[in-house]
Amino acid sequence: MDTTTGRLTYRDATDADVDELVALIESAYRGDSSRAGWTTEADILQGQRTDPEGVLEVIKSPDSRLLTVERDGVVVACCQLEHRGAYAYFGMFAVSPALQGAGLGKTIIAEAERRARKAWDVTEMHMTVISVREDLIAWYERRGYRRTGEMSPFPYGDERFGIPQRDDLQFELLVKPLV
């Protein structure tokens, strides 16, 4: 099926989507399949990016939603939106590697920001990005996010988040005002 044309549809993920979403997230960030896109973390992290329990936790959380994006009935992307008081947290963003680089990500993040503003009346979107991912951070900066310099530690030793291939990983907080 050709997933490069057709209108995008957005919906909240359900329990039935878990396996498909785990496969999408893994394909965008880990292993050889991720190298087809530019968001790969395969050189800095091995192992898993997420698991069914982690995805289900986001789906079930009352303050969170896992926005699922389809084109012509095929899941092509997803992202987590979580209400955290005055701001929303954006995470678990994945676009099918074969579709990366064509503007899909920029369309989806804009829709996610619009939905967070509308649903929760938040004034900012926050996210954390592995600080050595300069290309990815630059992409978010072009979307209006700013680096804060605020770092949090990478969960070394917890293989649910991957197996680090270097010892300098940490997360940087990026923030965008939603006006």
Side-chain angles (χ1 to χ4, degrees):
M1 177 178 291
D2 180 10
T3 57
T4 60
T5 60
R7 191 173 64 84
L8 297 177
T9 57
Y10 299 82
R11 63 176 176 80
D12 289 343
T14 67
D15 297 11
D17 296 313
V18 169
D19 290 341
E20 188 172 12
L21 291 172
V22 169
L24 170 69
I25 294 163
E26 292 297 311
S27 76
Y29 292 97
R30 298 289 198 275
D32 287 338
S33 65
S34 69
R35 295 181 194 283
W38 67 274
T39 60
T40 183
E41 296 171 343
D43 293 330
I44 59 172
L45 289 161
Q46 293 181 353
Q48 69 178 32
R49 176 66 147 65
T50 192
D51 55 29
E53 295 76 21
V55 170
L56 193 57
E57 187 178 314
V58 172
I59 292 170
K60 295 290 191 192
S61 172
D63 294 323
S64 190
R65 62 178 39 145
L66 189 54
L67 192 60
T68 301
V69 185
E70 294 179 332
R71 179 178 275 158
D72 300 326
V74 175
V75 174
V76 295
C78 67
C79 64
Q80 172 191 10
L81 294 171
E82 184 176 328
H83 186 208
R84 295 184 181 177
Y87 68 91
Y89 179 80
F90 179 83
M92 216 176 271
F93 188 30
V95 175
S96 174
L99 301 177
Q100 291 177 18
L104 197 57
K106 124 172 71 168
T107 299
I108 293 165
I109 196 169
E111 179 63 13
E113 292 164 356
R114 188 192 71 74
R115 286 173 180 251
R117 271 193 318 269
K118 183 177 178 186
W120 299 314
D121 196 30
V122 292
T123 58
E124 289 183 333
M125 185 79 86
H126 291 201
M127 72 173 70
T128 55
V129 179
I130 297 173
S131 62
V132 299
R133 297 290 318 277
E134 294 292 340
D135 54 344
L136 186 58
I137 291 171
W139 187 87
Y140 284 121
E141 287 179 312
R142 291 191 298 276
R143 312 273 102 55
Y145 288 81
R146 64 174 174 75
R147 298 180 87 156
T148 65
E150 186 179 319
M151 301 293 180
S152 56
F154 185 86
Y156 283 93
D158 188 341
E159 291 190 6
R160 291 177 305 163
F161 300 97
I163 303 167
Q165 302 302 295
R166 44 194 293 177
D167 63 6
D168 62 344
L169 301 182
Q170 56 186 342
F171 294 105
E172 182 171 1
L173 175 65
L174 305 183
V175 175
K176 178 180 181 177
L178 300 178
V179 288

